[in-house]
Amino acid sequence: MGTSGREKAYAYLKGTVLTDPEMQGEFLSEQEIADRIGVSRTPIREALLLLAAEDLVEMVPRRGARVSRLTGRQITELMELRGMVERYAAEQVIKADRVPLEELGELLDRQRGLSGPDDAKEFIAIDHRFHATIVSAVGNGLLDRHYDGLRSRQVRAGVVALYNQSGRQKAVIDEHKMILDALAAGDAEAVSAAIDSHLESTLKVLLAG
């Protein structure tokens, strides 16, 4: 079964338009997007309604869809929720001796090979996979889906953060290394502290942006 126009539009909007820092707060032209991906306007509108249900765009009467800006409060709540999920996941995988060290090490190596604004999107995609790998090692499908639901907001917040501050990529790599080292040592307390400080410094950059 081929991808429907709506799915195609949804994936394009979520993956390309919503992650572009320049588009925050901007109105979207249904016709322009339809032309760009080669579908009619109906699936574009359907995709925009799905994104509105996720609070990623807002539908403004007679104006159309606008890319929602993330407020400081939303970003703070996002980081709080991430912290809860990620600390819990780290604790569980240490307890069950299911730490995916090899996979996390590979992701960290890949991040080291990326630098500069051109690589920012890929850097963030791998950043998400690093954290999601720890979460999915718990083996709780509902937790995975819940965590993945945070992703689109996170990607938007994250892209902006990396564009906003030079040196942030290197800091992320160092912070990920601390999380990985603590997981390798099986030290749940150190992992919790490393996750907290990583999310805290991310939050600072986001709020400064």
Side-chain angles (χ1 to χ4, degrees), residues 81-146:
L81 203 50
R82 273 192 61 188
M84 282 150 77
V85 172
E86 291 175 26
R87 284 191 305 268
Y88 168 81
E91 206 175 290
Q92 294 301 309
V93 296
I94 287 175
K95 214 184 282 179
D97 199 18
R98 282 213 300 262
V99 181
L101 285 178
E102 202 177 316
E103 204 179 331
L104 293 171
E106 278 168 21
L107 290 168
L108 195 54
D109 285 342
R110 278 178 62 193
Q111 274 193 311
R112 285 197 180 102
L114 299 167
S115 64
D118 297 345
D119 291 331
K121 277 195 184 148
E122 197 185 339
F123 188 94
I124 285 153
I126 295 174
D127 183 282
H128 177 79
R129 272 191 56 197
F130 182 89
H131 294 279
T133 297
I134 300 170
V135 174
S136 68
V138 175
N140 179 330
L142 191 58
L143 191 67
D144 286 348
R145 279 204 299 281
H146 167 73

Side-chain angles (χ1 to χ4, degrees), residues 68-87:
S68 307
R69 282 183 183 280
L70 283 176
T71 65
R73 181 173 176 177
Q74 284 171 320
I75 292 172
T76 306
E77 288 174 354
L78 172 67
M79 291 300 153
E80 261 175 39
L81 203 50
R82 273 192 61 188
M84 282 150 77
V85 172
E86 291 175 26
R87 284 191 305 268

Side-chain angles (χ1 to χ4, degrees), residues 17-18 23-26 28 56-58 65-69:
V17 179
L18 294 182
M23 292 305 294
Q24 305 296 307
E26 295 294 313
L28 300 172
L56 297 175
V57 300
E58 46 195 324
R66 178 168 55 199
V67 180
S68 307
R69 282 183 183 280

